[in-house]
């Protein structure tokens, strides 16, 4: 398995979740455990660029795959545009859901670019606020930083469009 | 107005950082995954623990079979009341030792065969891996001799007893004879409201990593009160406080759920002692619901009488809430009715039932959040009866002094908040008729409600150190639960000392630091600010004293009150010196100052303050909902909150706090409820899949505004913002739904079955 570009070799029992493998075995603690049952999205990571709930994935299923966590989003010291936008728009409070929100947002923008529709997609295909809210609804934020998160994503999407 | 803060006021003429929308200092750590939360600390040899929960509400454990659990590879120990080392009992509650309030319950975990609630931990499995611990926990077999239990809140209501008042919180009160006035009132409403239990559901579940080194204990914990936790652990484990270090630099949300000390924390420490291993106990989401208290359910009656012009002649607000036989906090449910309306007569009572359930605890704006739902819904209903605009009804009854006792408000600008809000929200475009506004298949409704939350200050010890290079370190064991604790105190210190924001570092989250207040009661920022202001002043006095020793200093003969702190030093007009120059001349490499308020002094001051003032943050919520004409689905489509919260330190984090309260209030209004099985006392929806907190799609853009007028009695004039945002929210939604549909929903949450 490659985690944030580095090859990691792990010997785990078949019942170990990808989330526990990352957090407890590899010390990659960016992905968070909020519910351990796919209800909160705090554990969202990218598997070959696609967002998944790492708590619902078994580590052994991801043998040989490319996993990106929040730790892998920045390029060295330079933050990913979404990370910078989350800070600028205050799209976070306690920070615990933030890694999942960020990974989810990265993949969500890619899904939209690829033309994948959501339940609220209109003919124009424009990335409206309603689209972002719909597509991000798998990531809970109990602090209620939703407005800031949506603003940050819109900001980055607009930058990308330019 | 006290002189102390009036002076502060003038000095603030030169503010540079306070009030600005400064980015969080920990934004980078939180967006890169660098921030480490309690469960993410690893120690060599660390073992993992899992809880076994009782499945009966009350009884005695008859037998425990741990054989199968012990046989699981990797299991180190299974602790039960038969083999666990003893803990000392929970301390008696006393207002002179506020940390005695830290006990979540009075139960001696694993120290008794008695079961007090359905979910109480009856065994702890410690294993080499978290998976082994969790699996083995499912194999522990327990049999019980069940005893009769009282678990049905609704059924127990007739047996409620009068709640006792305290110095801090009276439980009732009368002004005139409200019953007589109500009977005589030409217009009246009399409504019964219910609110269900709510769980905090911070996204980070409670977690503890406990490490014993001889008689020295280190605890990585997700806590809202480092000082209380340390004191509580010292009491329960019989070791001195100085032998305990609590580390809690990042807390993944709290909302009251991490204020007290609950079973998981104590059992992690106990398990680490019993196994002589570092132990991590990260609660599952279910275990959070089973072992951490929730907000009490309530039943409330609000009856209002008015004359034909809308002047309130009677206000009756009574409540029934719960505590547990094993503890729990009696809530001030009718508290909003003490402060909001100038009614000619008022009757307030709070009653309690004691149940065989886990002790309830404070959750964001205890009392005020649920109490404001009832009072503010009833006011709206009265406005309907009167055919009067609900804003106008509120303004007609806006008191000049505190209604119950005539005390002055230190500050109250609710009228201005409503004026600003009505204009900004377009309130005048509202057609008052129920169901009169439509947008296609959606019925559109607009509602208002008042937000109100008392303000207070707790003791905080703070030190400030400045070195010759100009770096400033502020130290206080504050908790960062998402409020921007370090960020706002850095802004305050930078302004007080007249140094760049980048020069200030704030150290928090560690019991080795000077003792901080808890992150609760909307008091952390004000309390910390008071400490920072005092320490900065002392530091400037030390700098001035050093300067005045030198005949060459331009500050010679000056008093601190004549000087301005700016540009890295102290100045009087064009004359002045930098701290660096003062330190260099004196041959010193740093200056340090600090102070703390003792508990007795704090209590004396707090009581004196209470005698003189009623102080609170308040605000006006404006809500627009859309209700599907066929399905009854309710969507919140617009929100405006205008708040009177005194001075705002950080425009960015303040807006976030206020919005966060409103979002939690939307959850309370439309979806949140913990379901307790009335037969077994077991929580039936202990998960985020079945307890529905608001998601992105539920939350519209929330416009928050504040009046930004400092309160003359609070440090820097700030009133505290953590809780006021949620108060009134559920009522504003219910009132908007009433406007859209003509239906008054008095039982939270407002689910669609109640609208069909």
């Amino acid at each position: 398995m490659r985690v944030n570009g580095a090859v990691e070799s792990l010997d785990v029992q078949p019942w170990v979740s990808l989330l526990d493998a990352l957090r407890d075995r590899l010390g990659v603690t960016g992905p968070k455990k909020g519910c351990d049952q796919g209800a909160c999205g705090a554990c969202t990571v990218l598997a070959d660029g696609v967002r998944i709930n790492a708590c619902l994935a078994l580590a052994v299923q991801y043998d040989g795959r490319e996993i990106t966590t929040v730790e892998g989003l920045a390029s060295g010291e330079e933050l990913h545009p979404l990370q910078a936008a989350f800070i600028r728009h205050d799209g976070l409070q306690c920070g615990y859901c933030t890694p999942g929100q960020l990974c989810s947002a990265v993949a969500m923008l890619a899904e939209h670019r690829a033309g994948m529709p959501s339940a609220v997609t209109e003919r124009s295909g424009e990335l409206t606020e309603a689209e972002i809210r719909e597509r991000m609804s798998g990531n809970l934020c109990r602090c209620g930083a939703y407005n800031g998160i949506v603003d940050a994503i819109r900001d980055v999407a607009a930058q990308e469009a330019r | 107005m006290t002189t102390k803060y009036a002076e502060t006021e003038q000095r603030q003429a030169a503010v540079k950082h306070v009030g600005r929308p400064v980015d969080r200092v920990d934004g980078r750590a939180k967006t890169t995954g660098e921030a480490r939360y309690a469960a993410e600390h690893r120690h060599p040899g660390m073992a993992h623990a899992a809880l076994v929960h009782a499945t009966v509400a009350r009884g005695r454990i008859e037998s425990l079979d741990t054989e199968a659990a012990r046989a699981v590879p990797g299991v180190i120990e299974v602790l039960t009341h038969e083999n666990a080392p003893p803990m000392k009992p929970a301390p008696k509650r006393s207002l002179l030792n506020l940390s005695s309030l830290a006990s979540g319950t009075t139960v001696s975990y694993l120290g008794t065969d008695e079961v007090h609630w359905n979910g109480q931990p009856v065994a702890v499995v410690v294993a080499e891996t978290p998976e082994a611990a969790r699996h083995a926990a499912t194999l522990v077999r327990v049999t019980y001799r069940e005893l009769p239990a009282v678990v049905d809140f609704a059924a127990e209501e007739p047996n409620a007893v009068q709640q006792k008042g305290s110095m801090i919180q009276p439980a009732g009160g009368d002004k005139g004879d409200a019953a007589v006035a109500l009977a005589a009132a030409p217009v009246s409403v009399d409504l019964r409201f219910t609110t269900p239990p709510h769980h905090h559901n911070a996204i980070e579940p409670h977690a503890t990593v406990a490490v014993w080194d001889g008689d020295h204990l280190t605890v990585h914990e997700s806590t809202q009160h480092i000082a209380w936790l340390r004191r509580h652990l010292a009491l329960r484990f019989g070791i001195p406080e100085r032998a305990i270090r609590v580390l809690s630099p990042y807390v993944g949300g709290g909302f009251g759920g991490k204020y007290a000390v609950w079973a998981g924390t104590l059992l992690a420490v106990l398990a680490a002692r019993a196994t002589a291993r570092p132990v991590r106990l990260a609660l599952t989401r279910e275990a959070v619901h089973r072992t951490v208290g929730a907000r009490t359910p309530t039943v409330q009656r609000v009856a209002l009488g008015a004359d034909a012009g809308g002047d309130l002649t009677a206000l009756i607000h009574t409540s029934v809430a719960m505590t547990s036989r094993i503890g729990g906090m009696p809530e001030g449910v009718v508290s909003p009715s003490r402060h909001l309306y100038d009614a000619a007569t008022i009757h307030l009572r709070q009653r309690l039932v004691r149940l065989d359930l886990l002790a309830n605890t404070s959750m964001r704006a205890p009392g005020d959040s649920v109490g404001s739902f009832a009072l503010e819904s009833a006011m709206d209903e009265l406005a309907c009866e009167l055919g009067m605009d609900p804003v106008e009804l509120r303004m007609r009854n806006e008191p000049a002094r505190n209604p119950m006792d005539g005390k002055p408000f230190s500050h109250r600008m609710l009228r201005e908040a409503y004026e600003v809000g009505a204009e900004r929200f377009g309130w005048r475009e509202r057609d008052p008729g129920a169901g009169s506004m439509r947008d296609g298949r959606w019925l559109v409704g607009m509602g208002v409600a008042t937000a109100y939350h008392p303000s207070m200050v707790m003791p905080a010890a703070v030190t400030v150190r400045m070195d010759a290079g100009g770096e400033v370190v502020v130290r206080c064991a504050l908790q960062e639960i998402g409020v921007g604790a370090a960020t706002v105190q850095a802004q305050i210190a930078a302004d007080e000392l007249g140094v760049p924001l980048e020069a200030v570092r704030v150290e928090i989250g560690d019991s080795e630091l000077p003792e901080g207040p808890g992150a609760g009661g909307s008091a952390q920022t004000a309390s910390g600010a008071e400490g920072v202001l005092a320490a900065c002043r002392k530091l400037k006095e030390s700098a001035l004293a050093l300067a005045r020793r030198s005949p060459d200093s331009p500050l010679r003969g000056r008093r601190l009150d004549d000087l301005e702190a700016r540009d890295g030093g102290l100045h009087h007009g064009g004359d002045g010196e930098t701290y660096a120059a003062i330190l260099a001349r004196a041959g010193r490499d740093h200056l340090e100052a600090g102070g703390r308020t003792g508990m007795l002094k704090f209590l004396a001051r707090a009581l004196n303050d209470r005698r003189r003032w009623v102080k609170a943050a308040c605000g006006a919520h404006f809500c627009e909902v859309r209700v599907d004409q066929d399905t009854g689905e309710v969507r919140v489509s617009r929100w405006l909150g205008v708040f009177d919260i005194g001075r705002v330190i950080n425009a960015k984090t303040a807006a976030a706090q206020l919005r966060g309260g409103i979002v939690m209030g939307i959850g309370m209004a439309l979806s949140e409820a913990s379901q307790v099985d009335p037969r077994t006392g077991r929580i039936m929806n202990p998960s985020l899949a079945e307890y529905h907190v608001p998601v992105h799609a539920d939350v519209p853009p929330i416009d928050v505004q504040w009046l930004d007028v400092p309160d003359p009695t609070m440090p820097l004039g700030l009133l505290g913002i953590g809780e006021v945002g949620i108060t009134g929210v559920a009522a504003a939604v219910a009132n908007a739904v009433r406007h859209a549909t003509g239906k008054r929903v008095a039982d939270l949450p407002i689910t669609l079955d109640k609208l069909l």
Side-chain angles (χ1 to χ4, degrees):
Chain A
M1 192 160 73
R2 286 170 70 87
V3 178
N4 299 324
V7 177
E8 302 280 0
S9 190
L10 264 182
D11 198 4
V12 292
Q13 281 144 328
W15 52 76
V16 174
S17 72
L18 177 60
L19 180 61
D20 287 338
L22 289 167
R23 283 170 64 82
D24 293 341
R25 311 307 202 272
L26 297 175
V28 179
T29 56
K32 302 301 182 203
K33 186 182 280 192
C35 68
D36 219 15
Q37 58 168 194
C40 77
C43 64
T44 307
V45 299
L46 308 178
D48 299 320
V50 174
R51 52 180 171 167
I52 59 165
N53 286 330
C55 73
L56 293 185
L58 294 171
V60 292
Q61 289 175 285
Y62 288 83
D63 193 13
R65 305 275 292 275
E66 173 82 44
I67 304 296
T68 306
T69 71
V70 73
E71 288 96 332
L73 296 182
S75 319
E77 280 299 291
E78 197 191 331
L79 294 177
H80 186 284
L82 275 166
Q83 290 172 314
F86 266 54
I87 297 172
R88 198 162 60 245
H89 291 281
D90 212 28
L92 66 143
Q93 288 190 37
C94 78
Y96 199 77
C97 75
T98 312
Q101 301 275 359
L102 279 161
C103 287
S104 197
V106 168
M108 183 273 281
L109 287 175
E111 288 160 18
H112 182 259
R113 272 195 305 271
M116 287 170 67
S118 81
V120 300
T121 300
E122 310 232 353
R123 200 170 289 274
S124 70
E126 197 190 333
L127 190 65
T128 58
E129 192 181 289
E131 272 286 355
I132 296 173
R133 283 163 49 190
E134 174 70 19
R135 289 166 186 258
M136 289 297 292
S137 281
N139 291 84
L140 307 184
C141 170
R142 187 56 158 161
C143 299
Y146 292 131
N147 281 188
I149 295 168
V150 172
D151 290 347
I153 295 171
R154 290 189 89 175
D155 192 349
V156 171
Q159 283 171 36
E160 282 179 359
R162 276 199 290 275
Chain B
M1 186 182 290
T2 62
T3 20
K4 192 174 167 194
Y5 295 120
E7 284 167 15
T8 306
E9 214 49 86
Q10 286 158 20
R11 288 207 311 279
Q12 287 303 310
V15 295
K16 295 184 190 70
H17 305 295
V18 166
R20 280 182 44 214
V22 173
D23 286 349
R24 289 167 194 271
V25 295
D26 51 12
R28 195 180 179 94
K30 286 175 177 173
T31 53
T32 56
E34 199 185 291
R36 292 218 162 209
Y37 296 79
E40 293 159 8
H41 293 272
R42 293 205 287 187
H43 285 266
M46 188 170 83
H48 302 266
L51 301 178
V52 179
H53 304 278
T55 53
V56 299
R58 191 162 162 258
R60 309 292 284 254
I61 297 171
E62 255 180 3
S63 72
L64 271 154
D65 179 359
T66 61
E67 202 176 322
R70 286 177 187 280
V72 172
V75 168
I76 298 162
E77 180 61 280
V78 181
L79 292 166
T80 69
H81 72 279
E82 290 167 351
N83 63 353
M87 261 188 284
K88 295 202 175 349
K92 279 258 181 301
R93 290 185 171 204
S94 154
L95 278 180
L96 290 176
N97 174 12
L98 291 177
S99 68
S100 65
L101 306 179
S103 307
T105 77
T106 54
V107 173
S108 286
Y109 302 113
L110 304 194
T112 172
D113 64 347
E114 292 172 11
V115 173
H116 300 276
W117 85 88
N118 196 324
Q120 177 182 324
V122 291
V124 179
V125 178
V126 185
E128 299 292 347
T129 66
E131 292 84 4
R134 278 183 76 176
H135 174 54
T138 65
L139 301 177
V140 175
R141 291 285 168 261
V142 190
T143 61
Y144 304 92
R145 183 162 59 82
E146 281 194 64
L147 293 168
V150 180
V151 296
D152 186 348
F153 175 74
E156 207 49 28
E157 190 198 335
N159 301 326
V161 297
Q162 198 60 47
Q163 186 172 323
K164 286 197 194 80
S166 75
M167 239 174 357
I168 291 177
Q169 191 163 62
D174 283 284
K175 176 177 146 189
D177 192 332
V180 169
L182 181 70
V187 184
S188 64
V189 294
D190 196 338
L191 294 157
R192 177 187 157 93
F193 298 90
T194 65
T195 64
H198 297 127
H199 273 83
H200 314 80
N201 273 317
I203 300 295
E204 181 204 21
H206 299 55
T208 309
V209 174
V211 189
W212 286 93
D213 179 6
D215 271 340
H216 191 279
L217 172 67
T218 301
V219 177
H220 300 273
E221 173 80 9
S222 187
T223 179
Q224 289 176 248
H225 209 318
I226 290 167
W228 281 14
L229 172 58
R230 182 165 77 152
R231 204 155 295 148
H232 192 74
L233 290 174
L235 284 168
R236 301 301 287 269
F237 290 93
I239 56 174
E241 276 189 62
R242 63 175 184 282
I244 303 174
R245 185 172 188 189
V246 174
L247 291 156
S248 192
Y250 293 102
V251 180
F255 317 112
K258 294 172 181 170
Y259 210 77
V261 182
W262 299 97
T265 306
L266 295 168
L267 291 173
V269 174
L270 189 76
R273 183 174 248 188
T275 58
R277 296 272 296 264
V279 167
R280 180 179 87 180
L281 178 47
L283 297 190
T284 61
R285 180 59 55 184
E286 180 183 349
V288 174
H289 286 251
R290 300 245 180 272
T291 66
V292 177
R295 191 200 293 286
T296 176
T298 70
V299 177
Q300 301 177 57
R301 175 191 177 210
V302 180
L304 302 170
D307 63 23
D311 287 339
L312 283 177
T313 54
L315 190 172
I316 294 173
H317 191 171
T318 63
S319 67
V320 177
M322 72 159 275
T323 58
S324 159
R325 286 190 216 276
I326 48 154
M329 186 199 70
E331 283 210 10
V333 176
V334 307
S335 168
S337 292
R338 299 185 167 283
H339 306 297
L340 286 192
Y341 297 111
D342 196 11
T345 64
I346 302 178
H347 171 78
L348 307 175
R349 287 291 184 278
Q350 292 173 167
R351 288 182 299 144
L352 292 173
V353 296
R354 290 182 87 196
L355 301 176
D356 295 303
L357 296 177
L358 172 56
N360 66 304
T361 193
S362 54
M363 177 169 163
R364 205 170 201 162
D368 296 291
S369 55
V370 283
S372 63
F373 165 64
L375 175 62
E376 287 299 277
S377 294
M379 280 299 279
D380 193 71
E381 202 54 37
L382 181 65
C384 293
E385 284 292 318
L386 285 160
M388 184 180 273
D389 181 89
V391 175
E392 192 194 332
L393 176 64
R394 285 173 172 82
M395 293 305 95
R396 269 196 95 84
N397 291 286
E398 173 65 7
R401 297 170 86 86
N402 194 48
M404 285 301 283
D405 50 23
K407 277 186 215 166
F409 295 114
S410 69
H411 177 105
R412 175 140 155 164
M413 299 180 70
L414 190 57
R415 209 176 273 284
E416 290 82 348
Y418 269 107
E419 274 166 21
V420 169
E423 182 64 34
R424 195 175 168 89
F425 196 71
W427 182 255
R428 276 165 207 89
E429 284 144 43
R430 175 184 186 261
D431 180 334
S436 60
M437 297 172 72
R438 297 180 74 100
D439 178 10
R441 61 184 291 105
W442 297 99
L443 301 164
V444 179
M446 289 160 79
V448 293
T450 296
Y452 185 93
H453 191 268
S455 303
M456 61 176 181
V457 180
M458 299 296 286
V462 175
T463 62
V464 178
R465 180 191 158 106
M466 177 188 284
D467 69 22
E471 198 200 359
V472 174
V473 181
V474 176
R475 305 174 86 230
C476 180
L478 301 171
Q479 295 77 199
E480 168 52 8
I481 63 171
V483 302
T487 311
V488 294
Q489 301 302 341
Q491 291 174 264
I492 293 166
D495 278 0
E496 280 301 302
L497 296 171
V499 300
L501 185 58
E502 303 69 44
V504 183
R505 192 175 83 241
V506 182
E507 293 182 357
I508 61 167
D510 182 347
S511 64
E512 305 276 278
L513 298 169
E515 184 171 322
S522 296
Q524 181 171 251
T525 300
S527 311
E530 186 168 69
V532 169
L533 293 177
C536 287
R537 184 172 176 92
K538 279 191 192 167
L539 188 131
K540 289 188 285 189
E541 276 165 356
S542 307
L544 182 60
L546 280 183
R548 285 162 63 171
R549 279 190 217 157
S550 161
D552 305 332
S553 172
L555 298 175
R556 204 172 160 80
R558 296 286 182 197
R559 290 172 344 121
L560 188 56
D561 289 341
D562 303 332
L563 300 176
E564 194 188 344
R566 61 173 159 83
D567 304 323
L570 299 171
H571 299 271
H572 184 268
D575 278 347
E577 259 193 312
T578 63
Y579 301 114
I582 295 168
L583 284 167
R585 189 183 324 96
R588 299 275 288 270
D589 63 0
H590 76 280
L591 283 173
E592 183 158 354
R596 65 170 303 152
T597 316
M599 186 46 76
L600 279 176
K601 189 176 162 194
F602 160 74
L603 281 176
R605 195 187 63 179
L607 286 175
N608 188 37
D609 213 41
R610 281 189 81 82
R611 265 199 290 277
R612 294 178 62 192
W613 309 106
V614 169
K615 50 176 93 179
C618 63
H621 289 294
F622 291 80
C623 159
E624 181 191 273
V625 298
R626 278 151 197 262
V627 183
D628 187 291
Q629 63 182 19
D630 298 321
T631 68
E633 176 186 356
V634 179
R635 311 298 301 174
V636 175
S637 48
R638 279 203 302 146
W639 201 282
L640 167 66
V642 182
F643 295 95
D644 171 25
I645 47 177
R647 186 191 296 284
V648 162
I649 306 300
N650 184 321
K652 214 174 257 203
T653 55
Q657 278 283 292
L658 295 169
R659 285 199 184 98
I662 293 164
V663 171
M664 198 174 274
I666 290 173
M668 177 178 159
L670 296 177
S671 61
E672 291 185 35
S674 289
Q675 314 279 356
V676 179
D677 186 330
R679 301 159 303 173
T680 63
R682 193 162 177 85
I683 295 172
M684 299 183 285
N685 58 340
S687 81
L688 288 170
E690 295 158 298
Y691 181 101
H692 297 141
V693 307
V695 304
H696 274 284
D698 299 322
V699 178
I702 295 171
D703 184 5
V704 292
Q705 302 286 320
W706 48 79
L707 303 171
D708 214 12
V709 177
D711 178 279
T713 67
M714 291 288 283
L716 276 180
L718 71 93
L719 284 165
I721 52 178
E723 292 164 286
V724 67
I726 192 176
T727 62
V729 170
V733 174
N735 298 344
V737 169
R738 166 76 171 79
H739 179 225
T741 65
K743 289 188 178 130
R744 167 64 55 194
V745 179
D747 304 297
L748 291 182
I750 306 168
T751 44
L752 39 82
D753 52 299
K754 293 168 189 162
L755 293 172
L756 290 175

